[in-house]
Amino acid sequence: MNTTDSQDTSHGVERTDHGEEPRGVRVTPTHLRLLVAASGWLALAATTLPGPSPLRWIPVLLFTLFGPGCAALYPQPGGLAAGARLEAIALAAPVSLSLGVLAATSLFLVEAFSMIAFLVSLAVFTTVTAALPGLPLPAARRGAAERAKRRPAAGGGT
């Protein structure tokens, strides 16, 4: 082993003294889209577990609360600024619950409601929506509450 190389095993990141940046896992928007798309199918798979264990209801609850809303709001072109991220987090749960109510009501109206049908319809919606660009957010269009840089006034110092 070279004496100029060191390895930091506490976080699984390798560091060298040659001026290189540490290499770690980087989460990209594609990773987030895949995670959101898979979350519905994971919740559906969790329903096959026996009994009322937390491993069964926690993924279903989290997916129902956040999955469809995250799929609809997060894949923003160009990413989100700090204020728009806060707006998307605040809107993810209400949007998800609204989509869940629409799905449940539609299934009740056609007399086909079951937990499996409900989760399959939300999982399909989430998977398809995660592949599309997110809904435009007002804060993202405004510049997300970022301060506008003031330019000095031309022609005088008042």
Side-chain angles (χ1 to χ4, degrees):
M1 180 176 185
N2 191 350
T3 58
T4 60
D5 291 339
S6 66
Q7 185 172 3
D8 182 9
T9 57
S10 63
H11 299 292
V13 177
E14 184 178 325
R15 252 190 303 196
T16 62
D17 294 334
H18 300 295
E20 298 174 10
E21 289 188 28
R23 286 177 276 159
V25 178
R26 184 156 190 214
V27 179
T28 65
T30 304
H31 290 123
L32 290 175
R33 287 179 181 200
L34 290 174
L35 179 66
V36 169
S39 66
W41 303 109
L42 176 70
L44 186 63
T47 62
T48 62
L49 294 173
S53 73
L55 291 176
R56 182 177 180 168
W57 60 267
I58 289 176
V60 173
L61 178 66
L62 289 175
F63 169 69
T64 306
L65 283 176
F66 298 108
C70 287
L73 297 174
Y74 273 115
Q76 294 287 325
L80 293 172
R85 279 192 297 267
L86 180 62
E87 180 183 18
I89 290 168
L91 287 175
V95 168
S96 290
L97 292 175
S98 298
L99 291 168
V101 167
L102 286 173
T105 303
S106 300
L107 289 169
F108 272 120
L109 288 175
V110 296
E111 298 177 1
F113 183 82
S114 71
M115 191 59 171
I116 300 300
F118 174 73
L119 285 176
V120 166
S121 63
L122 283 182
V124 167
F125 174 82
T126 302
T127 302
V128 170
T129 307
L132 302 171
L135 296 172
L137 297 171
R141 284 183 275 153
R142 283 195 311 263
E146 297 189 333
R147 297 180 188 177
K149 293 183 180 179
R150 295 185 182 210
R151 291 181 231 164
T158 334

